[in-house]
Amino acid sequence: MATSQPSNPPGFFSGDRKYEGDGGMELERVWQQFQWREIRGCPGRYVVARRAAGALSSMSLVDLLARSEVAEASMILKVRKDGKDPMDIIFFPGGGGIITYCRFKKDGEASIAVPLYIHTLNTESGLIRKILDMGIEDQTVFRGYAAVSRRTRIIATLLSFLNPNSRSKLASTVTVTLHAVFSEN
């Protein structure tokens, strides 16, 4: 007798079914619009599949959000850290978000630097883990940034007590559990 897995509640992320419920409907909407592949060794973090990356690499996060119709560009947090590519981060209200890295490459003909955007789609736990692992939480990412929900702040606080290895293993379970607790209230 075949048993069926419980279906993901409406309004939550399904994606590739590895991290069901670890994000909201905005995350799912962006997932459905592009072909994503998981970043090796980064649970809950995805990049656009190589064959689809070309068109998106010239699209800023503002343009990507406008195309996806998921969030306001005014909600983008700009993070600049010494020695790192500039990052734009958006937290989706239902959980998860996008980190866009901007690199510059030389345009051979014009000899000018052209922006190259690398978009990473993140489950809620993947986004929180990456921010904690990069050590940028002190830049008001979790404190004082209005787009970050109370639930996300609580998850970030809990995960910050774990070492990176344990954080990678437990983050999605903690996040999905807290999504369920907060949805009951």
Side-chain angles (χ1 to χ4, degrees):
M1 179 170 159
T3 59
S4 63
Q5 292 185 343
S7 64
N8 195 30
F12 286 96
F13 176 70
S14 288
D16 59 3
R17 300 240 186 272
K18 290 171 83 175
Y19 309 101
E20 285 190 279
D22 192 350
M25 65 183 176
E26 302 90 351
L27 183 65
E28 181 66 21
R29 189 174 310 141
V30 176
W31 173 270
Q32 294 296 330
Q33 290 183 356
F34 305 102
Q35 292 181 321
W36 300 93
R37 66 172 176 79
E38 191 168 20
I39 301 169
R40 186 185 322 244
C42 298
R45 301 194 64 239
Y46 302 87
V47 292
V48 176
R50 288 201 193 281
R51 61 184 171 274
L56 286 181
S57 66
S58 62
M59 190 181 298
S60 71
L61 182 55
V62 172
D63 296 334
L64 177 68
L65 294 171
R67 178 175 172 182
S68 301
E69 299 177 357
V70 293
E72 295 292 323
S74 63
M75 296 169 55
I76 295 174
L77 177 67
K78 297 193 174 295
V79 177
R80 306 300 180 253
K81 191 167 178 170
D82 291 340
K84 300 284 184 186
D85 291 328
M87 293 171 270
D88 290 344
I89 302 173
I90 184 132
F91 289 84
F92 296 142
I98 298 174
I99 300 174
T100 297
Y101 301 88
C102 181
R103 294 186 178 145
F104 290 91
K105 64 176 185 171
K106 288 280 188 183
D107 182 353
E109 293 178 21
S111 294
I112 58 171
V114 177
L116 174 69
Y117 299 100
I118 299 138
H119 304 285
T120 62
L121 187 68
N122 302 269
T123 62
E124 186 163 22
S125 64
L127 183 61
I128 293 169
R129 274 186 319 91
K130 182 61 177 177
I131 289 169
L132 290 172
D133 291 349
M134 289 189 306
I136 59 175
E137 69 275 7
D138 292 334
Q139 296 185 19
T140 69
V141 173
F142 298 123
R143 298 177 205 95
Y145 181 56
V148 178
S149 70
R150 187 172 131 228
R151 179 195 66 242
T152 299
R153 288 183 181 110
I154 291 170
I155 294 166
T157 300
L158 291 172
L159 295 180
S160 71
F161 289 105
L162 300 174
N163 66 47
N165 190 37
S166 295
R167 197 180 297 148
S168 287
K169 291 177 184 174
L170 299 171
S172 188
T173 302
V174 168
T175 302
V176 171
T177 301
L178 285 174
H179 265 274
V181 168
F182 275 87
S183 66
E184 291 173 1
N185 294 333

